Structure formats: C-alpha cells, structure tokens
Amino acid sequence: MNYIRLDTWDLALAALLLLGVAALSLLLQLRIERKLLLAGLRCALQLALVGLVLTKLFELVSPWWTGLAALAMVLFAGREIMARQERGFHALWAYGIGTSAMLMAAALVTVFALTTQVKPEPWYDPRYALPLLGMILGNTMTGIALGLQRLTEGARQQRAGIEALLCLGATRRKAMLPITRQALTTALMPIINALAATGLVSLPGMMTGQILAGVEPLEAVKYQLMIMFMIAGGTTLGAVTAVFVGVHRLTDNRDRLRLDRLAGE
Amino acid sequence: MLTVANLSRPGLEPTSFELAAGACIALRGPSGAGKTLLLRALADLDPNEGDVLLDGVPRDRIPAPLWRRRVGYVPAEPGWWSERLAEHFQDWDAQAGPARRLKISPSAAERRVSQLSTGERQRLALLRALEHRPEVLLLDEPTGPLDEETTAAVEALLREKQSNGLALFWVTHDKRQAERVADRSFWIDSGRLREAVLEDARKR
C-alpha cells in the first residue's frame, strides 16, 4: 500500500486556511471568526484525544477495555437520542428506550459482521470493532431518535383518529398501526436515501478514506457495501424495537391511548 | 344491563346509576361540568376507578376492545383515521339505507372525509358506531350541529334501535330533546351527577 503521511508542517498549513478565513470574517465584520476558531480548536483537541485513546486500545487488544469503550459510545449516543426528543417521552424513558434498543441492535449487527465477514484475529480486535460499531451506532442513533419523535408527535396529532379506532373495538396495536408505520418510514428515510444515492451523489467517507490510504477502489467498494448493509440492518432493527416499545408505553393494558405519559402534558 | 357503582376519575365524583336495556338516560349540564369525562370513563378510554358491570359481568373481566364494541361511544367531534369514508365501515354498501334515512347525500362516499360537513360527519360517526351493534351507546351531543329535520331523523332511527334493546346514554344541551328522548334525566355540575328531578325540586 502506498500511503502518504502528513507531518506537522502539513497540518499547520491546513490550519492556516482556517486562520485565513477567520481574518476574512474580521475584515468583513461577519463576527463568525470566534465561533469558527473555537470549533476548530475543539475539533483538534477531541480528535487528538481519540487518536491517543485508540492507539492505546489498539496496543492492548483487551476485550475488557474494548468493551468499555464500546459501552461509553452507546451511552453517549443514548444521551443524543434523549436530547433530540421534543415534547416526547420523559427524559428517563427516552434514554431507556433509546439506549436499550440501540445497544441490542448495534451489538448484534457488529458482532455478526466481526465474526462472520471481517473475521479479525481475535474477533474483538478494537482496530476493526470500534470503527465498525461507531458507524453502525451513528446511523442507528439517528433512526431511533427520528422514529420516537415521529411516533409521539403522531400520537398527539392523530389522537382523535386513534381513539375512534379504539372505540370501535380495535386493539391498541391495531389502533396504533398507522402511526407506527409513519414513525418507521421516517426513521428509515435517511438510510434508504443513503443506499439509493451512494456513489451517484456522495462518495461515502469510509470508502474515500480507504482509497486515500491506498486501497484499490473495487476493494474499498466491497467494504463500503458490507458497511451499508450492516447499517441498514442495524438501523431497522433498532428503530423497530424502539418504536414498538414506544407504542407499548403510549398505551396501557386496557387498550387506552396514554398521552398523559408524554412530557409537557 | 349497565350497572355503574362509585365510578370516579379526576374531575368526576363517585357516580352510581343503572341503565336498563332499551332505556334512555339524558344528561345535561354546563360546559366543563364533566359530561365528556363521564362518557370517556364509561367507555374506559381514560384511567378511572369504581365498578362498571354489563349484564352483571364486571368490566375488568371483559377485554377492553370487546367492552368498547359492546358499549359504543360517539364523541361530539368524532375522529377519522383515513380520508376515504368507506374505510371506516366494515361494509359501506350495506349503509345505503340507514344513510338515506339520516339524509346523507349518496355522493358522500366519493368525497374526502375532511370535505364533509360537520353535521354529515356527526351522522356518519353514529352509523359507524351502530354498525358494530353495541348494546349500550354513549352519545355526546349527537344532534348538536344538525337542523330540526335531521335531528328528528336521528331521533327516529335511535328510537327504533332502542325498541330492539339498545340502551342510550345521551348528552344534550337541549332540555326539550331530553324530555323527548329520555325516560330519565340526569344533571351534572362540577363533576357531581344527580337526577334532574331533584335539581328542579331544589330550584323551586
């Protein structure tokens, strides 16, 4: 593999571009220079830290430390799901539903990919496990957050229709089916769009990265395809689980719609 | 047939009464007094306490979907889950006769539900509930948005169902309608239910 290393000087040159546009903002009185520089600094610090942690983890190749890092990633993603709920489930419920659905889906799919397709030695080798988990987690997180939000929004907006179905003797599952479908359509929209547009509109980041690292395009495409299928599977699994648990929470065992269990009621 | 003992929920004080098969109770009261809260509690749409029995069988021994098929509820503003009217009925074609009786234009099925008038939707929701052959029907202002002639048609249809054993619990703001359709009249205020006779006696 022919791979071009960047040295400090190269990075400094790239950073100079950021300083340049900050100067431009100052000149034009746009007042975005502060935000831009702070965000750039934050990005540099975070990535340097991640680089150090990954280096250490790759040296250790310990199932415990790898597992701990994976758990931390899941917990952070769960927080993200909770933060994206507007007038949805109460914070603790959103966190609980989101995190458990994501843990189940992402763990299942990542282990499946590692043990049957990528097959590193050992299978939990963090060099493969963590980037794979990260990509699956990021997409599953978005799917679950969108699905739960659409579900609770739909229950509020379509309350009269849902209760009309209940009044005519529908079970809670049947009465909630229309908004269950809407929630899952919304949850899976980004991944379905990504599957359709990949290669035509966007070159996926991972594939680009592998090509820059010297991998043959066709080899990079194979990796990318596998990842896309894993992401689609993981997102669907996670979103379906979260939305079904959400439907259960939004109704009770006497087949009532329980909007009083949402925040802001 | 329907026995209610100490039914209560937030906004409704413990309430007891009996509704016999083929009977009709009218319920009146100022807005916000708890009329809708009572109907929703009877249909078991909101958490509530107390005992409700149908033919002597306690409600919690009957699955909720079956309960709501036997004790139907037509709210003042009925909900619709699809824009196509026929999807709300098990068999829309069989509704032609009753629909004509309620003066619903035959072209109603070709229009979108949101394009129907409030009064048409009200009558269609009644037909939709009757299609499931309930034993008790809880009605919230079923003729509220209707003119005199259509009101009479609705009352006539319900009277016929009543003679076949349907029991009615009828919320109305119209005192004369209450006298026309009901054999007993209740009055509710601030969540307290009383027989209206007592209410009139107290006033005098």
Side-chain angles (χ1 to χ4, degrees), chain A residues 159-172 178 252-258 260, chain B residues 40 44-48 59-60 62-65 67-69 73 79-81 88 128-129 132:
Chain A
R159 173 187 174 181
I162 295 166
E163 290 197 329
L165 273 165
L166 291 175
C167 281
L168 296 175
T171 58
R172 54 168 151 174
D252 67 16
N253 55 9
R254 287 297 290 174
D255 297 80
R256 304 175 184 123
L257 179 63
R258 297 295 299 270
D260 56 313
Chain B
R40 287 180 60 90
D44 208 6
L45 278 175
D46 294 321
N48 60 82
R59 183 170 61 183
D60 46 19
I62 303 174
W67 174 264
R68 293 192 195 106
R69 235 172 284 156
Y73 167 47
W80 304 87
W81 59 88
H88 293 266
R128 183 174 71 175
H132 291 263

Side-chain angles (χ1 to χ4, degrees), chain B residues 49-122:
Chain B
E49 279 165 47
D51 297 314
V52 186
L53 299 88
L54 193 60
D55 291 331
V57 182
R59 183 170 61 183
D60 46 19
R61 294 246 304 274
I62 303 174
L66 182 60
W67 174 264
R68 293 192 195 106
R69 235 172 284 156
R70 297 177 66 185
V71 181
Y73 167 47
V74 184
E77 284 171 27
W80 304 87
W81 59 88
S82 157
E83 277 289 359
R84 290 154 55 102
L85 186 62
E87 281 180 21
H88 293 266
F89 291 85
Q90 293 169 310
D91 183 4
W92 168 248
D93 296 327
Q95 298 299 317
R100 207 176 314 114
R101 275 191 68 182
L102 293 189
K103 304 183 191 308
I104 294 162
S105 77
S107 70
E110 280 124 52
R111 280 179 285 158
R112 297 160 68 82
V113 168
S114 53
Q115 285 171 339
L116 299 168
S117 76
T118 317
E120 279 174 315
R121 281 203 295 267
Q122 189 70 42

Side-chain angles (χ1 to χ4, degrees), chain A residues 27-39:
Chain A
L27 195 73
L28 298 175
Q29 299 177 313
L30 299 180
R31 291 193 187 161
I32 47 172
E33 64 280 351
R34 232 181 101 84
K35 271 186 203 156
L36 198 62
L37 288 180
L38 273 178

Side-chain angles (χ1 to χ4, degrees), chain A residues 216-233:
Chain A
E216 289 301 317
L218 276 178
E219 289 304 307
V221 161
K222 280 198 243 165
Y223 245 88
Q224 186 64 42
L225 267 180
M226 182 205 71
I227 290 290
M228 294 294 272
F229 294 155
M230 291 302 124
I231 288 176

